[in-house]
């Protein structure tokens, strides 16, 4: 594969880190043709979800070679805006988007909504309607669920093994974990994903996890794929990404959301 592709892990409203990653990519790319794939979860938990959405929308509008994939948090935000009573089928009934674990309150505050003292979801929803531009919601709703280039598949959470790509459900593409992690045989493509935090970018043979915890203040990571080689693009430059021989998923640490 001759095309140079970068893939960025879950952003979660951390605009300064996203801009720093784009600057790192620009230095590495040296004005050569490339594609930059963002693996979803633009919003929630960090301070500037509004800024992240604005930044990505503006970049795509001016023609930046950016692909942005939908994450489960992007769906939670847009669905709350449409219906505050909607319950994500992949989320525990004890949780909703406004629960502190999810980070919806921080997202609405980034838009200038006054929600910190509101207990009633209807009141919070009224603030959301007042403060959040409909264009942002429509943008999140229309994000693609995956991006495929040759033998590479970029998706937020992963795929259900042995199911044709066209038959994959949105719930799985946005939320899947254990069934995907415990499958060690080759897929039809190398899957590049985020969604589940790992300490460092990890290549499991049939998949690569790029989510290193920006949601909780840790690093935002990016990989580069060029000429059938894969690197972790660190602050110090490219570092060859070798396959991990640990059992895929066996040592992952993650929260239920």
């Amino acid at each position: 594969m001759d095309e140079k592709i970068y893939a960025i892990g879950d952003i979660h409203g951390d605009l300064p880190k996203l801009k720093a990653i784009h600057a790192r990519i620009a230095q590495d790319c040296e004005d050569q043709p490339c594609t930059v794939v963002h693996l979803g979860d633009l919003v929630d938990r960090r301070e500037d979800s509004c800024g992240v959405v604005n930044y990505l929308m503006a970049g795509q509008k001016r023609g930046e070679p950016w692909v942005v994939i939908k994450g489960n948090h992007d769906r939670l935000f847009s669905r709350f805006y449409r219906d505050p009573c909607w319950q994500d089928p992949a989320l525990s009934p004890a949780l909703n988007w406004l629960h502190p674990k999810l980070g919806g309150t921080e997202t609405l505050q980034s838009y200038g909504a006054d929600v910190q003292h509101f207990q009633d979801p209807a009141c919070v929803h009224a603030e959301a309607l007042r403060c959040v531009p409909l264009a942002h919601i429509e943008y999140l709703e229309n994000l693609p669920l995956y991006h495929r280039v040759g033998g590479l598949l970029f998706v937020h959470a992963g795929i259900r093994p042995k199911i044709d790509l066209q038959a994959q459900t949105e719930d799985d593409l946005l939320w899947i974990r254990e069934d995907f992690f415990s499958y060690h045989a080759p897929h039809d493509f190398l899957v590049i994903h985020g969604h589940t935090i790992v300490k460092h970018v990890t290549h499991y043979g049939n998949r690569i996890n790029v989510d290193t915890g920006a949601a909780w203040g840790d690093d935002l990571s990016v990989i580069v794929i060029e000429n059938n080689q894969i690197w972790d693009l660190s602050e110090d430059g490219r570092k060859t990404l070798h396959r991990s021989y640990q059992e895929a998923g066996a040592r992952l640490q993650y929260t239920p959301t």
Side-chain angles (χ1 to χ4, degrees):
M1 184 190 70
D2 296 329
E3 182 179 0
K4 185 185 298 185
I5 303 179
Y6 299 85
I8 301 173
D10 303 27
I11 302 162
H12 283 289
D14 200 324
L15 182 58
K17 286 182 180 175
L18 177 59
K19 289 183 174 180
I21 286 290
H22 278 180
R24 190 183 304 174
I25 290 171
Q27 184 176 17
D28 181 82
C29 193
E30 298 179 336
D31 295 324
Q32 297 175 2
C34 69
T35 299
V36 181
V37 181
H38 305 76
L39 294 170
D41 278 2
L42 315 185
V43 303
D44 294 348
R45 296 188 175 136
R46 304 302 290 168
E47 293 81 7
D48 200 2
S49 292
C50 176
V52 167
V53 177
N54 265 328
Y55 176 77
L56 292 173
M57 289 177 66
Q60 288 184 309
K61 185 175 182 179
R62 68 173 177 266
E64 298 288 353
W66 298 349
V67 174
V68 183
I69 292 169
K70 184 186 293 187
N72 59 308
H73 283 263
D74 308 318
R75 181 170 82 170
L76 287 167
F77 178 23
S78 61
R79 289 293 185 91
F80 177 85
Y81 185 94
R82 298 296 190 185
D83 178 5
C85 296
W86 180 78
Q87 177 68 34
D88 195 308
L91 189 63
S92 166
L95 300 176
N96 62 38
W97 183 61
L98 299 176
H99 192 282
K101 287 185 177 181
L102 274 295
T105 298
E106 289 85 349
T107 293
L108 291 177
Q109 287 175 326
S110 77
Y111 283 89
D114 180 12
V115 299
Q116 58 182 341
H117 302 301
F118 290 174
Q119 301 298 319
D120 182 359
C123 293
V124 179
H125 184 240
E127 274 292 280
L129 294 178
R130 182 180 71 85
C131 295
V132 179
L134 179 59
H136 281 207
I137 299 302
E138 292 175 338
Y139 175 76
L140 295 175
E141 288 174 331
N142 290 309
L143 292 176
L145 294 175
Y146 60 83
H147 178 68
R148 184 174 181 183
V149 180
L152 303 172
L153 180 73
F154 301 86
V155 64
H156 177 64
I159 59 172
R160 186 158 296 281
K162 299 187 284 188
I163 300 296
D164 185 80
L165 183 58
Q166 301 303 318
Q168 297 281 335
T169 69
E170 180 173 302
D171 287 350
D172 282 338
L173 297 173
L174 299 188
W175 281 99
I176 196 168
R177 283 195 167 104
E178 186 52 42
D179 289 350
F180 175 53
F181 299 156
S182 61
Y183 186 80
H184 310 314
H187 300 291
D188 291 337
F189 22 68
L190 178 62
V191 181
I192 317 297
H193 69 96
H195 183 57
T196 299
I197 295 172
V198 287
K199 290 183 178 180
H200 49 80
V201 175
T202 306
H203 191 328
Y204 294 101
N206 60 0
R207 63 184 180 92
I208 299 174
N209 189 340
V210 192
D211 182 5
T212 52
W216 305 112
D218 293 325
D219 291 339
L220 180 62
S221 292
V222 57
I223 63 171
V224 54
I225 305 170
E226 183 180 17
N227 296 325
N228 295 314
Q229 297 185 67
I230 306 170
W231 295 268
D232 181 355
L233 184 59
S234 72
E235 291 181 347
D236 301 322
R238 297 186 182 192
K239 297 181 178 180
T240 300
L241 188 60
H242 298 289
R243 176 177 175 178
S244 169
Y245 289 94
Q246 295 178 356
E247 182 180 356
R251 294 172 174 81
L252 294 178
Q253 299 296 319
Y254 60 87
T255 65
T257 59

mmCIF file with all atom_site columns, all heavy atoms in Angstrom, residues 167-183:
data_model
loop_
_atom_site.group_PDB
_atom_site.id
_atom_site.type_symbol
_atom_site.label_atom_id
_atom_site.label_alt_id
_atom_site.label_comp_id
_atom_site.label_asym_id
_atom_site.label_entity_id
_atom_site.label_seq_id
_atom_site.pdbx_PDB_ins_code
_atom_site.Cartn_x
_atom_site.Cartn_y
_atom_site.Cartn_z
_atom_site.occupancy
_atom_site.B_iso_or_equiv
_atom_site.pdbx_formal_charge
_atom_site.auth_seq_id
_atom_site.auth_comp_id
_atom_site.auth_asym_id
_atom_site.auth_atom_id
_atom_site.pdbx_PDB_model_num
ATOM 1   N N   . ALA A 1 167 ? -22.675 -6.629  7.230  1.00 0.00 ? 167 ALA A N   1
ATOM 2   C CA  . ALA A 1 167 ? -23.677 -7.133  8.176  1.00 0.00 ? 167 ALA A CA  1
ATOM 3   C C   . ALA A 1 167 ? -23.371 -6.754  9.629  1.00 0.00 ? 167 ALA A C   1
ATOM 4   O O   . ALA A 1 167 ? -24.133 -7.108  10.526 1.00 0.00 ? 167 ALA A O   1
ATOM 5   C CB  . ALA A 1 167 ? -23.787 -8.653  8.058  1.00 0.00 ? 167 ALA A CB  1
ATOM 6   N N   . GLN A 1 168 ? -22.275 -6.033  9.852  1.00 0.00 ? 168 GLN A N   1
ATOM 7   C CA  . GLN A 1 168 ? -21.940 -5.604  11.209 1.00 0.00 ? 168 GLN A CA  1
ATOM 8   C C   . GLN A 1 168 ? -22.989 -4.606  11.709 1.00 0.00 ? 168 GLN A C   1
ATOM 9   O O   . GLN A 1 168 ? -23.494 -3.785  10.959 1.00 0.00 ? 168 GLN A O   1
ATOM 10  C CB  . GLN A 1 168 ? -20.560 -4.928  11.221 1.00 0.00 ? 168 GLN A CB  1
ATOM 11  C CG  . GLN A 1 168 ? -19.413 -5.822  10.824 1.00 0.00 ? 168 GLN A CG  1
ATOM 12  C CD  . GLN A 1 168 ? -18.955 -6.739  11.947 1.00 0.00 ? 168 GLN A CD  1
ATOM 13  O OE1 . GLN A 1 168 ? -19.133 -6.459  13.123 1.00 0.00 ? 168 GLN A OE1 1
ATOM 14  N NE2 . GLN A 1 168 ? -18.331 -7.859  11.562 1.00 0.00 ? 168 GLN A NE2 1
ATOM 15  N N   . THR A 1 169 ? -23.302 -4.672  13.001 1.00 0.00 ? 169 THR A N   1
ATOM 16  C CA  . THR A 1 169 ? -24.261 -3.733  13.569 1.00 0.00 ? 169 THR A CA  1
ATOM 17  C C   . THR A 1 169 ? -23.547 -2.491  14.086 1.00 0.00 ? 169 THR A C   1
ATOM 18  O O   . THR A 1 169 ? -22.368 -2.547  14.479 1.00 0.00 ? 169 THR A O   1
ATOM 19  C CB  . THR A 1 169 ? -25.042 -4.359  14.732 1.00 0.00 ? 169 THR A CB  1
ATOM 20  O OG1 . THR A 1 169 ? -24.153 -4.562  15.840 1.00 0.00 ? 169 THR A OG1 1
ATOM 21  C CG2 . THR A 1 169 ? -25.666 -5.688  14.312 1.00 0.00 ? 169 THR A CG2 1
ATOM 22  N N   . GLU A 1 170 ? -24.267 -1.388  14.121 1.00 0.00 ? 170 GLU A N   1
ATOM 23  C CA  . GLU A 1 170 ? -23.695 -0.162  14.675 1.00 0.00 ? 170 GLU A CA  1
ATOM 24  C C   . GLU A 1 170 ? -23.313 -0.352  16.141 1.00 0.00 ? 170 GLU A C   1
ATOM 25  O O   . GLU A 1 170 ? -22.271 0.138   16.589 1.00 0.00 ? 170 GLU A O   1
ATOM 26  C CB  . GLU A 1 170 ? -24.675 1.000   14.537 1.00 0.00 ? 170 GLU A CB  1
ATOM 27  C CG  . GLU A 1 170 ? -24.127 2.304   15.093 1.00 0.00 ? 170 GLU A CG  1
ATOM 28  C CD  . GLU A 1 170 ? -25.015 3.494   14.801 1.00 0.00 ? 170 GLU A CD  1
ATOM 29  O OE1 . GLU A 1 170 ? -25.291 3.762   13.612 1.00 0.00 ? 170 GLU A OE1 1
ATOM 30  O OE2 . GLU A 1 170 ? -25.429 4.168   15.773 1.00 0.00 ? 170 GLU A OE2 1
ATOM 31  N N   . ASP A 1 171 ? -24.127 -1.073  16.895 1.00 0.00 ? 171 ASP A N   1
ATOM 32  C CA  . ASP A 1 171 ? -23.815 -1.311  18.305 1.00 0.00 ? 171 ASP A CA  1
ATOM 33  C C   . ASP A 1 171 ? -22.447 -1.971  18.461 1.00 0.00 ? 171 ASP A C   1
ATOM 34  O O   . ASP A 1 171 ? -21.651 -1.598  19.332 1.00 0.00 ? 171 ASP A O   1
ATOM 35  C CB  . ASP A 1 171 ? -24.883 -2.189  18.957 1.00 0.00 ? 171 ASP A CB  1
ATOM 36  C CG  . ASP A 1 171 ? -26.190 -1.452  19.191 1.00 0.00 ? 171 ASP A CG  1
ATOM 37  O OD1 . ASP A 1 171 ? -26.221 -0.212  19.019 1.00 0.00 ? 171 ASP A OD1 1
ATOM 38  O OD2 . ASP A 1 171 ? -27.184 -2.114  19.542 1.00 0.00 ? 171 ASP A OD2 1
ATOM 39  N N   . ASP A 1 172 ? -22.164 -2.976  17.637 1.00 0.00 ? 172 ASP A N   1
ATOM 40  C CA  . ASP A 1 172 ? -20.873 -3.640  17.729 1.00 0.00 ? 172 ASP A CA  1
ATOM 41  C C   . ASP A 1 172 ? -19.732 -2.726  17.297 1.00 0.00 ? 172 ASP A C   1
ATOM 42  O O   . ASP A 1 172 ? -18.685 -2.659  17.958 1.00 0.00 ? 172 ASP A O   1
ATOM 43  C CB  . ASP A 1 172 ? -20.861 -4.914  16.885 1.00 0.00 ? 172 ASP A CB  1
ATOM 44  C CG  . ASP A 1 172 ? -21.572 -6.077  17.560 1.00 0.00 ? 172 ASP A CG  1
ATOM 45  O OD1 . ASP A 1 172 ? -21.712 -6.051  18.800 1.00 0.00 ? 172 ASP A OD1 1
ATOM 46  O OD2 . ASP A 1 172 ? -21.988 -7.013  16.852 1.00 0.00 ? 172 ASP A OD2 1
ATOM 47  N N   . LEU A 1 173 ? -19.894 -2.019  16.208 1.00 0.00 ? 173 LEU A N   1
ATOM 48  C CA  . LEU A 1 173 ? -18.829 -1.155  15.702 1.00 0.00 ? 173 LEU A CA  1
ATOM 49  C C   . LEU A 1 173 ? -18.476 -0.048  16.689 1.00 0.00 ? 173 LEU A C   1
ATOM 50  O O   . LEU A 1 173 ? -17.328 0.411   16.728 1.00 0.00 ? 173 LEU A O   1
ATOM 51  C CB  . LEU A 1 173 ? -19.236 -0.555  14.356 1.00 0.00 ? 173 LEU A CB  1
ATOM 52  C CG  . LEU A 1 173 ? -19.452 -1.565  13.215 1.00 0.00 ? 173 LEU A CG  1
ATOM 53  C CD1 . LEU A 1 173 ? -20.009 -0.866  11.986 1.00 0.00 ? 173 LEU A CD1 1
ATOM 54  C CD2 . LEU A 1 173 ? -18.161 -2.295  12.870 1.00 0.00 ? 173 LEU A CD2 1
ATOM 55  N N   . LEU A 1 174 ? -19.451 0.363   17.498 1.00 0.00 ? 174 LEU A N   1
ATOM 56  C CA  . LEU A 1 174 ? -19.230 1.446   18.457 1.00 0.00 ? 174 LEU A CA  1
ATOM 57  C C   . LEU A 1 174 ? -18.883 0.960   19.864 1.00 0.00 ? 174 LEU A C   1
ATOM 58  O O   . LEU A 1 174 ? -18.298 1.712   20.645 1.00 0.00 ? 174 LEU A O   1
ATOM 59  C CB  . LEU A 1 174 ? -20.471 2.345   18.549 1.00 0.00 ? 174 LEU A CB  1
ATOM 60  C CG  . LEU A 1 174 ? -20.918 3.066   17.285 1.00 0.00 ? 174 LEU A CG  1
ATOM 61  C CD1 . LEU A 1 174 ? -22.036 4.044   17.614 1.00 0.00 ? 174 LEU A CD1 1
ATOM 62  C CD2 . LEU A 1 174 ? -19.759 3.799   16.622 1.00 0.00 ? 174 LEU A CD2 1
ATOM 63  N N   . TRP A 1 175 ? -19.252 -0.301  20.210 1.00 0.00 ? 175 TRP A N   1
ATOM 64  C CA  . TRP A 1 175 ? -19.172 -0.716  21.604 1.00 0.00 ? 175 TRP A CA  1
ATOM 65  C C   . TRP A 1 175 ? -18.436 -2.032  21.866 1.00 0.00 ? 175 TRP A C   1
ATOM 66  O O   . TRP A 1 175 ? -18.080 -2.327  23.001 1.00 0.00 ? 175 TRP A O   1
ATOM 67  C CB  . TRP A 1 175 ? -20.589 -0.887  22.171 1.00 0.00 ? 175 TRP A CB  1
ATOM 68  C CG  . TRP A 1 175 ? -21.281 0.376   22.547 1.00 0.00 ? 175 TRP A CG  1
ATOM 69  C CD1 . TRP A 1 175 ? -22.218 1.055   21.805 1.00 0.00 ? 175 TRP A CD1 1
ATOM 70  C CD2 . TRP A 1 175 ? -21.152 1.108   23.769 1.00 0.00 ? 175 TRP A CD2 1
ATOM 71  N NE1 . TRP A 1 175 ? -22.670 2.151   22.495 1.00 0.00 ? 175 TRP A NE1 1
ATOM 72  C CE2 . TRP A 1 175 ? -22.033 2.211   23.703 1.00 0.00 ? 175 TRP A CE2 1
ATOM 73  C CE3 . TRP A 1 175 ? -20.383 0.937   24.931 1.00 0.00 ? 175 TRP A CE3 1
ATOM 74  C CZ2 . TRP A 1 175 ? -22.162 3.137   24.737 1.00 0.00 ? 175 TRP A CZ2 1
ATOM 75  C CZ3 . TRP A 1 175 ? -20.502 1.857   25.959 1.00 0.00 ? 175 TRP A CZ3 1
ATOM 76  C CH2 . TRP A 1 175 ? -21.381 2.940   25.853 1.00 0.00 ? 175 TRP A CH2 1
ATOM 77  N N   . ILE A 1 176 ? -18.236 -2.877  20.875 1.00 0.00 ? 176 ILE A N   1
ATOM 78  C CA  . ILE A 1 176 ? -17.782 -4.240  21.142 1.00 0.00 ? 176 ILE A CA  1
ATOM 79  C C   . ILE A 1 176 ? -16.448 -4.261  21.892 1.00 0.00 ? 176 ILE A C   1
ATOM 80  O O   . ILE A 1 176 ? -15.582 -3.393  21.694 1.00 0.00 ? 176 ILE A O   1
ATOM 81  C CB  . ILE A 1 176 ? -17.667 -5.054  19.826 1.00 0.00 ? 176 ILE A CB  1
ATOM 82  C CG1 . ILE A 1 176 ? -17.590 -6.554  20.128 1.00 0.00 ? 176 ILE A CG1 1
ATOM 83  C CG2 . ILE A 1 176 ? -16.481 -4.583  18.987 1.00 0.00 ? 176 ILE A CG2 1
ATOM 84  C CD1 . ILE A 1 176 ? -17.773 -7.424  18.905 1.00 0.00 ? 176 ILE A CD1 1
ATOM 85  N N   . ARG A 1 177 ? -16.304 -5.265  22.757 1.00 0.00 ? 177 ARG A N   1
ATOM 86  C CA  . ARG A 1 177 ? -15.037 -5.467  23.448 1.00 0.00 ? 177 ARG A CA  1
ATOM 87  C C   . ARG A 1 177 ? -14.652 -6.954  23.440 1.00 0.00 ? 177 ARG A C   1
ATOM 88  O O   . ARG A 1 177 ? -13.934 -7.411  22.579 1.00 0.00 ? 177 ARG A O   1
ATOM 89  C CB  . ARG A 1 177 ? -15.098 -4.906  24.883 1.00 0.00 ? 177 ARG A CB  1
ATOM 90  C CG  . ARG A 1 177 ? -14.977 -3.379  24.944 1.00 0.00 ? 177 ARG A CG  1
ATOM 91  C CD  . ARG A 1 177 ? -14.670 -2.881  26.337 1.00 0.00 ? 177 ARG A CD  1
ATOM 92  N NE  . ARG A 1 177 ? -14.266 -1.486  26.315 1.00 0.00 ? 177 ARG A NE  1
ATOM 93  C CZ  . ARG A 1 177 ? -15.045 -0.467  26.691 1.00 0.00 ? 177 ARG A CZ  1
ATOM 94  N NH1 . ARG A 1 177 ? -16.276 -0.683  27.113 1.00 0.00 ? 177 ARG A NH1 1
ATOM 95  N NH2 . ARG A 1 177 ? -14.593 0.773   26.639 1.00 0.00 ? 177 ARG A NH2 1
ATOM 96  N N   . GLU A 1 178 ? -15.128 -7.725  24.423 1.00 0.00 ? 178 GLU A N   1
ATOM 97  C CA  . GLU A 1 178 ? -14.551 -9.033  24.701 1.00 0.00 ? 178 GLU A CA  1
ATOM 98  C C   . GLU A 1 178 ? -14.598 -9.992  23.512 1.00 0.00 ? 178 GLU A C   1
ATOM 99  O O   . GLU A 1 178 ? -13.609 -10.681 23.222 1.00 0.00 ? 178 GLU A O   1
ATOM 100 C CB  . GLU A 1 178 ? -15.234 -9.654  25.922 1.00 0.00 ? 178 GLU A CB  1
ATOM 101 C CG  . GLU A 1 178 ? -14.593 -10.962 26.367 1.00 0.00 ? 178 GLU A CG  1
ATOM 102 C CD  . GLU A 1 178 ? -13.092 -10.845 26.570 1.00 0.00 ? 178 GLU A CD  1
ATOM 103 O OE1 . GLU A 1 178 ? -12.638 -9.835  27.142 1.00 0.00 ? 178 GLU A OE1 1
ATOM 104 O OE2 . GLU A 1 178 ? -12.377 -11.765 26.135 1.00 0.00 ? 178 GLU A OE2 1
ATOM 105 N N   . ASP A 1 179 ? -15.723 -10.073 22.817 1.00 0.00 ? 179 ASP A N   1
ATOM 106 C CA  . ASP A 1 179 ? -15.798 -11.014 21.693 1.00 0.00 ? 179 ASP A CA  1
ATOM 107 C C   . ASP A 1 179 ? -14.765 -10.674 20.615 1.00 0.00 ? 179 ASP A C   1
ATOM 108 O O   . ASP A 1 179 ? -14.239 -11.571 19.946 1.00 0.00 ? 179 ASP A O   1
ATOM 109 C CB  . ASP A 1 179 ? -17.201 -11.003 21.079 1.00 0.00 ? 179 ASP A CB  1
ATOM 110 C CG  . ASP A 1 179 ? -18.230 -11.657 21.991 1.00 0.00 ? 179 ASP A CG  1
ATOM 111 O OD1 . ASP A 1 179 ? -17.824 -12.267 22.993 1.00 0.00 ? 179 ASP A OD1 1
ATOM 112 O OD2 . ASP A 1 179 ? -19.433 -11.547 21.702 1.00 0.00 ? 179 ASP A OD2 1
ATOM 113 N N   . PHE A 1 180 ? -14.495 -9.413  20.464 1.00 0.00 ? 180 PHE A N   1
ATOM 114 C CA  . PHE A 1 180 ? -13.488 -8.944  19.508 1.00 0.00 ? 180 PHE A CA  1
ATOM 115 C C   . PHE A 1 180 ? -12.081 -9.214  20.036 1.00 0.00 ? 180 PHE A C   1
ATOM 116 O O   . PHE A 1 180 ? -11.212 -9.720  19.323 1.00 0.00 ? 180 PHE A O   1
ATOM 117 C CB  . PHE A 1 180 ? -13.705 -7.451  19.270 1.00 0.00 ? 180 PHE A CB  1
ATOM 118 C CG  . PHE A 1 180 ? -12.697 -6.760  18.404 1.00 0.00 ? 180 PHE A CG  1
ATOM 119 C CD1 . PHE A 1 180 ? -12.380 -7.239  17.143 1.00 0.00 ? 180 PHE A CD1 1
ATOM 120 C CD2 . PHE A 1 180 ? -12.079 -5.593  18.845 1.00 0.00 ? 180 PHE A CD2 1
ATOM 121 C CE1 . PHE A 1 180 ? -11.458 -6.577  16.338 1.00 0.00 ? 180 PHE A CE1 1
ATOM 122 C CE2 . PHE A 1 180 ? -11.163 -4.927  18.051 1.00 0.00 ? 180 PHE A CE2 1
ATOM 123 C CZ  . PHE A 1 180 ? -10.846 -5.413  16.800 1.00 0.00 ? 180 PHE A CZ  1
ATOM 124 N N   . PHE A 1 181 ? -11.850 -8.913  21.316 1.00 0.00 ? 181 PHE A N   1
ATOM 125 C CA  . PHE A 1 181 ? -10.524 -9.094  21.897 1.00 0.00 ? 181 PHE A CA  1
ATOM 126 C C   . PHE A 1 181 ? -10.085 -10.559 21.929 1.00 0.00 ? 181 PHE A C   1
ATOM 127 O O   . PHE A 1 181 ? -8.909  -10.869 21.761 1.00 0.00 ? 181 PHE A O   1
ATOM 128 C CB  . PHE A 1 181 ? -10.488 -8.556  23.336 1.00 0.00 ? 181 PHE A CB  1
ATOM 129 C CG  . PHE A 1 181 ? -10.793 -7.098  23.471 1.00 0.00 ? 181 PHE A CG  1
ATOM 130 C CD1 . PHE A 1 181 ? -11.272 -6.590  24.667 1.00 0.00 ? 181 PHE A CD1 1
ATOM 131 C CD2 . PHE A 1 181 ? -10.595 -6.224  22.425 1.00 0.00 ? 181 PHE A CD2 1
ATOM 132 C CE1 . PHE A 1 181 ? -11.548 -5.245  24.811 1.00 0.00 ? 181 PHE A CE1 1
ATOM 133 C CE2 . PHE A 1 181 ? -10.874 -4.870  22.546 1.00 0.00 ? 181 PHE A CE2 1
ATOM 134 C CZ  . PHE A 1 181 ? -11.347 -4.390  23.754 1.00 0.00 ? 181 PHE A CZ  1
ATOM 135 N N   . SER A 1 182 ? -11.026 -11.442 22.194 1.00 0.00 ? 182 SER A N   1
ATOM 136 C CA  . SER A 1 182 ? -10.666 -12.845 22.400 1.00 0.00 ? 182 SER A CA  1
ATOM 137 C C   . SER A 1 182 ? -10.534 -13.628 21.099 1.00 0.00 ? 182 SER A C   1
ATOM 138 O O   . SER A 1 182 ? -10.229 -14.828 21.122 1.00 0.00 ? 182 SER A O   1
ATOM 139 C CB  . SER A 1 182 ? -11.704 -13.528 23.307 1.00 0.00 ? 182 SER A CB  1
ATOM 140 O OG  . SER A 1 182 ? -12.990 -13.484 22.716 1.00 0.00 ? 182 SER A OG  1
ATOM 141 N N   . TYR A 1 183 ? -10.739 -12.967 19.974 1.00 0.00 ? 183 TYR A N   1
ATOM 142 C CA  . TYR A 1 183 ? -10.604 -13.636 18.678 1.00 0.00 ? 183 TYR A CA  1
ATOM 143 C C   . TYR A 1 183 ? -9.195  -13.366 18.154 1.00 0.00 ? 183 TYR A C   1
ATOM 144 O O   . TYR A 1 183 ? -8.830  -12.217 17.875 1.00 0.00 ? 183 TYR A O   1
ATOM 145 C CB  . TYR A 1 183 ? -11.654 -13.102 17.694 1.00 0.00 ? 183 TYR A CB  1
ATOM 146 C CG  . TYR A 1 183 ? -11.691 -13.825 16.371 1.00 0.00 ? 183 TYR A CG  1
ATOM 147 C CD1 . TYR A 1 183 ? -12.341 -15.038 16.237 1.00 0.00 ? 183 TYR A CD1 1
ATOM 148 C CD2 . TYR A 1 183 ? -11.067 -13.282 15.254 1.00 0.00 ? 183 TYR A CD2 1
ATOM 149 C CE1 . TYR A 1 183 ? -12.387 -15.706 15.022 1.00 0.00 ? 183 TYR A CE1 1
ATOM 150 C CE2 . TYR A 1 183 ? -11.097 -13.939 14.031 1.00 0.00 ? 183 TYR A CE2 1
ATOM 151 C CZ  . TYR A 1 183 ? -11.757 -15.149 13.930 1.00 0.00 ? 183 TYR A CZ  1
ATOM 152 O OH  . TYR A 1 183 ? -11.800 -15.804 12.724 1.00 0.00 ? 183 TYR A OH  1
#
